[in-house]
Amino acid sequence: MFEPNYILWPRTARHCKDFLKEYRLGIGDILSSFKRQDRQATDSALSEFVFNDDLIATIMAADNSVKYLYFTSKFAYRLFKQAVRTRFSIEETKTVDKLCFQLTITSLEQCKSFNTCILKSPSPRGRHTVEDILRDWQGKFTPILDLNSKKKC
């Protein structure tokens, strides 16, 4: 996705770690645990959410320079907002593209802003073609890829 002329998907944990480091990316799951009803793959079959407080603490840490947040679905973003609102207030500043916006998270001690995008879901239930998903993700990741390529020079 990031290097369309050299498509080689990471094959091992080491490949994944190297890829994430090269592009200065992190991955986290907002849920530490949940219950799934009858092995169903739908979001509505999930319940008893336990949020990943460590992820939120990492994102909000004073020494953390996170500038971009990406979510793989609207459902994942709704869960993130639900988790964050237990300790912080949230304000969204929408843009023309309603799926990319400025997200400001505040507490009594701090205020952080993030460029935020909700990506087209890779789930088969999202009914997007692989080409649509790649085009969407490439477009939405372009700002950080451009920033990273400038830092290498």
Side-chain angles (χ1 to χ4, degrees):
M1 178 185 80
F2 295 112
E3 298 169 353
N5 297 328
Y6 182 69
I7 299 177
L8 177 64
W9 298 105
R11 302 281 194 274
T12 65
R14 184 78 221 153
H15 286 129
C16 290
K17 287 178 185 178
D18 290 346
F19 178 84
L20 293 171
K21 273 186 179 178
E22 179 180 348
Y23 288 101
R24 300 180 61 209
L25 299 171
I27 296 176
D29 196 330
I30 194 58
L31 296 177
S32 292
S33 69
F34 58 88
K35 299 276 185 197
R36 182 180 302 275
Q37 179 185 347
D38 298 326
R39 296 182 162 186
Q40 294 178 36
T42 62
D43 295 339
S44 61
L46 305 178
S47 63
E48 298 182 38
F49 302 128
V50 176
F51 295 118
N52 184 347
D53 292 331
D54 291 342
L55 176 65
I56 296 167
T58 299
I59 291 169
M60 294 303 293
D63 63 344
N64 195 325
S65 61
V66 172
K67 294 181 179 127
Y68 295 87
L69 298 175
Y70 291 90
F71 297 90
T72 55
S73 68
K74 292 176 185 176
F75 180 70
Y77 178 61
R78 280 194 305 273
L79 287 175
F80 177 80
K81 286 194 308 185
Q82 187 179 343
V84 169
R85 283 189 172 134
T86 62
R87 293 185 297 175
F88 302 95
S89 63
I90 295 178
E91 182 182 333
E92 298 170 351
T93 305
K94 298 287 184 182
T95 61
V96 175
D97 179 353
K98 294 179 182 171
L99 297 179
C100 287
F101 47 90
Q102 191 72 25
L103 179 68
T104 305
I105 302 175
T106 15
S107 69
L108 294 175
E109 301 85 31
Q110 64 180 334
C111 177
K112 286 191 152 199
S113 288
F114 305 95
N115 297 306
T116 305
C117 286
I118 300 170
L119 303 165
K120 286 192 177 184
S121 174
S123 166
R125 298 180 62 81
R127 298 188 180 112
H128 304 294
T129 66
V130 171
E131 291 79 14
D132 286 341
I133 293 168
L134 285 173
R135 198 171 21 260
D136 179 63
W137 287 39
Q138 285 172 333
K140 289 176 179 168
F141 276 99
T142 294
I144 64 168
L145 296 178
D146 289 346
L147 281 175
N148 286 337
S149 66
K150 290 175 188 170
K151 288 179 182 179
K152 291 178 185 177
C153 297

